[in-house]
mmCIF file of all heavy atoms in Angstrom:
data_model
loop_
_atom_site.group_PDB
_atom_site.id
_atom_site.type_symbol
_atom_site.label_atom_id
_atom_site.label_comp_id
_atom_site.label_asym_id
_atom_site.label_seq_id
_atom_site.Cartn_x
_atom_site.Cartn_y
_atom_site.Cartn_z
ATOM 1 N N SER A 1169 18.996 14.341 21.797
ATOM 2 C CA SER A 1169 17.787 13.524 21.755
ATOM 3 C C SER A 1169 16.732 14.043 22.729
ATOM 4 O O SER A 1169 17.039 14.352 23.889
ATOM 5 C CB SER A 1169 18.143 12.073 22.097
ATOM 6 O OG SER A 1169 16.987 11.286 22.178
ATOM 7 N N TRP A 1170 15.502 14.160 22.234
ATOM 8 C CA TRP A 1170 14.374 14.629 23.049
ATOM 9 C C TRP A 1170 13.219 13.674 22.871
ATOM 10 O O TRP A 1170 12.838 13.343 21.745
ATOM 11 C CB TRP A 1170 13.974 16.044 22.612
ATOM 12 C CG TRP A 1170 12.749 16.575 23.320
ATOM 13 C CD1 TRP A 1170 12.653 16.977 24.612
ATOM 14 C CD2 TRP A 1170 11.448 16.757 22.743
ATOM 15 N NE1 TRP A 1170 11.378 17.406 24.887
ATOM 16 C CE2 TRP A 1170 10.620 17.283 23.760
ATOM 17 C CE3 TRP A 1170 10.912 16.531 21.475
ATOM 18 C CZ2 TRP A 1170 9.274 17.585 23.541
ATOM 19 C CZ3 TRP A 1170 9.584 16.822 21.258
ATOM 20 C CH2 TRP A 1170 8.771 17.349 22.278
ATOM 21 N N ARG A 1171 12.698 13.202 23.983
ATOM 22 C CA ARG A 1171 11.633 12.198 23.947
ATOM 23 C C ARG A 1171 10.274 12.842 24.203
ATOM 24 O O ARG A 1171 10.092 13.581 25.169
ATOM 25 C CB ARG A 1171 11.891 11.097 24.965
ATOM 26 C CG ARG A 1171 10.764 10.058 25.075
ATOM 27 C CD ARG A 1171 11.239 8.811 25.783
ATOM 28 N NE ARG A 1171 12.233 8.107 24.972
ATOM 29 C CZ ARG A 1171 12.868 7.015 25.374
ATOM 30 N NH1 ARG A 1171 12.633 6.515 26.587
ATOM 31 N NH2 ARG A 1171 13.751 6.428 24.589
ATOM 32 N N GLU A 1172 9.358 12.504 23.325
ATOM 33 C CA GLU A 1172 7.975 12.980 23.446
ATOM 34 C C GLU A 1172 7.077 11.787 23.736
ATOM 35 O O GLU A 1172 7.133 10.767 23.033
ATOM 36 C CB GLU A 1172 7.538 13.652 22.142
ATOM 37 C CG GLU A 1172 6.118 14.173 22.167
ATOM 38 C CD GLU A 1172 5.739 14.811 20.840
ATOM 39 O OE1 GLU A 1172 6.162 14.293 19.784
ATOM 40 O OE2 GLU A 1172 5.007 15.809 20.857
ATOM 41 N N GLU A 1173 6.268 11.899 24.780
ATOM 42 C CA GLU A 1173 5.294 10.856 25.098
ATOM 43 C C GLU A 1173 3.993 11.191 24.383
ATOM 44 O O GLU A 1173 3.344 12.187 24.684
ATOM 45 C CB GLU A 1173 5.075 10.761 26.614
ATOM 46 C CG GLU A 1173 6.307 10.367 27.401
ATOM 47 C CD GLU A 1173 6.789 8.964 27.072
ATOM 48 O OE1 GLU A 1173 5.946 8.147 26.645
ATOM 49 O OE2 GLU A 1173 7.994 8.694 27.223
ATOM 50 N N VAL A 1174 3.625 10.361 23.428
ATOM 51 C CA VAL A 1174 2.456 10.620 22.602
ATOM 52 C C VAL A 1174 1.245 9.932 23.212
ATOM 53 O O VAL A 1174 1.258 8.724 23.459
ATOM 54 C CB VAL A 1174 2.685 10.123 21.158
ATOM 55 C CG1 VAL A 1174 1.458 10.384 20.301
ATOM 56 C CG2 VAL A 1174 3.903 10.813 20.563
ATOM 57 N N ARG A 1175 0.198 10.694 23.445
ATOM 58 C CA ARG A 1175 -1.048 10.164 23.997
ATOM 59 C C ARG A 1175 -2.200 10.531 23.078
ATOM 60 O O ARG A 1175 -2.086 11.392 22.212
ATOM 61 C CB ARG A 1175 -1.303 10.756 25.397
ATOM 62 C CG ARG A 1175 -0.195 10.526 26.406
ATOM 63 C CD ARG A 1175 -0.087 9.060 26.799
ATOM 64 N NE ARG A 1175 -1.329 8.550 27.335
ATOM 65 C CZ ARG A 1175 -1.706 8.666 28.617
ATOM 66 N NH1 ARG A 1175 -0.902 9.276 29.478
ATOM 67 N NH2 ARG A 1175 -2.841 8.156 29.041
ATOM 68 N N GLY A 1176 -3.317 9.870 23.274
ATOM 69 C CA GLY A 1176 -4.517 10.187 22.502
ATOM 70 C C GLY A 1176 -4.511 9.627 21.093
ATOM 71 O O GLY A 1176 -5.368 9.980 20.282
ATOM 72 N N ARG A 1177 -3.574 8.741 20.800
ATOM 73 C CA ARG A 1177 -3.481 8.154 19.463
ATOM 74 C C ARG A 1177 -3.441 6.631 19.569
ATOM 75 O O ARG A 1177 -2.980 6.080 20.571
ATOM 76 C CB ARG A 1177 -2.233 8.639 18.726
ATOM 77 C CG ARG A 1177 -2.146 10.138 18.542
ATOM 78 C CD ARG A 1177 -0.908 10.513 17.757
ATOM 79 N NE ARG A 1177 -1.001 10.081 16.368
ATOM 80 C CZ ARG A 1177 -1.462 10.855 15.385
ATOM 81 N NH1 ARG A 1177 -1.873 12.079 15.638
ATOM 82 N NH2 ARG A 1177 -1.500 10.395 14.151
ATOM 83 N N SER A 1178 -3.908 5.981 18.527
ATOM 84 C CA SER A 1178 -3.772 4.530 18.442
ATOM 85 C C SER A 1178 -2.436 4.195 17.792
ATOM 86 O O SER A 1178 -1.721 5.083 17.312
ATOM 87 C CB SER A 1178 -4.907 3.942 17.602
ATOM 88 O OG SER A 1178 -4.741 4.292 16.233
ATOM 89 N N MET A 1179 -2.109 2.924 17.758
ATOM 90 C CA MET A 1179 -0.973 2.510 16.949
ATOM 91 C C MET A 1179 -1.279 2.829 15.487
ATOM 92 O O MET A 1179 -2.432 2.737 15.049
ATOM 93 C CB MET A 1179 -0.715 1.011 17.110
ATOM 94 C CG MET A 1179 -0.167 0.631 18.472
ATOM 95 S SD MET A 1179 1.441 1.408 18.812
ATOM 96 C CE MET A 1179 2.463 0.592 17.585
ATOM 97 N N PRO A 1180 -0.283 3.222 14.715
ATOM 98 C CA PRO A 1180 -0.549 3.571 13.309
ATOM 99 C C PRO A 1180 -1.151 2.387 12.547
ATOM 100 O O PRO A 1180 -0.731 1.242 12.726
ATOM 101 C CB PRO A 1180 0.846 3.929 12.771
ATOM 102 C CG PRO A 1180 1.657 4.281 13.979
ATOM 103 C CD PRO A 1180 1.137 3.425 15.087
ATOM 104 N N TRP A 1181 -2.126 2.684 11.715
ATOM 105 C CA TRP A 1181 -2.732 1.630 10.893
ATOM 106 C C TRP A 1181 -1.766 1.164 9.801
ATOM 107 O O TRP A 1181 -1.731 -0.002 9.451
ATOM 108 C CB TRP A 1181 -4.026 2.132 10.248
ATOM 109 C CG TRP A 1181 -5.154 2.370 11.195
ATOM 110 C CD1 TRP A 1181 -5.644 3.572 11.613
ATOM 111 C CD2 TRP A 1181 -5.938 1.364 11.860
ATOM 112 N NE1 TRP A 1181 -6.683 3.387 12.490
ATOM 113 C CE2 TRP A 1181 -6.889 2.041 12.663
ATOM 114 C CE3 TRP A 1181 -5.925 -0.024 11.860
ATOM 115 C CZ2 TRP A 1181 -7.815 1.364 13.442
ATOM 116 C CZ3 TRP A 1181 -6.851 -0.707 12.640
ATOM 117 C CH2 TRP A 1181 -7.781 -0.011 13.419
ATOM 118 N N GLY A 1182 -0.996 2.106 9.252
ATOM 119 C CA GLY A 1182 -0.028 1.761 8.219
ATOM 120 C C GLY A 1182 -0.655 0.991 7.072
ATOM 121 O O GLY A 1182 -1.724 1.355 6.561
ATOM 122 N N GLU A 1183 -0.014 -0.110 6.692
ATOM 123 C CA GLU A 1183 -0.485 -0.898 5.554
ATOM 124 C C GLU A 1183 -1.777 -1.638 5.852
ATOM 125 O O GLU A 1183 -2.458 -2.112 4.938
ATOM 126 C CB GLU A 1183 0.595 -1.892 5.126
ATOM 127 C CG GLU A 1183 1.836 -1.215 4.556
ATOM 128 C CD GLU A 1183 3.007 -2.170 4.430
ATOM 129 O OE1 GLU A 1183 3.154 -3.041 5.314
ATOM 130 O OE2 GLU A 1183 3.761 -2.049 3.457
#
Side-chain angles (χ1 to χ4, degrees):
S1169 175
W1170 175 72
R1171 175 164 293 177
E1172 180 181 37
E1173 297 295 334
V1174 179
R1175 303 291 303 275
R1177 301 182 69 93
S1178 70
M1179 289 298 294
W1181 291 107
E1183 293 167 324

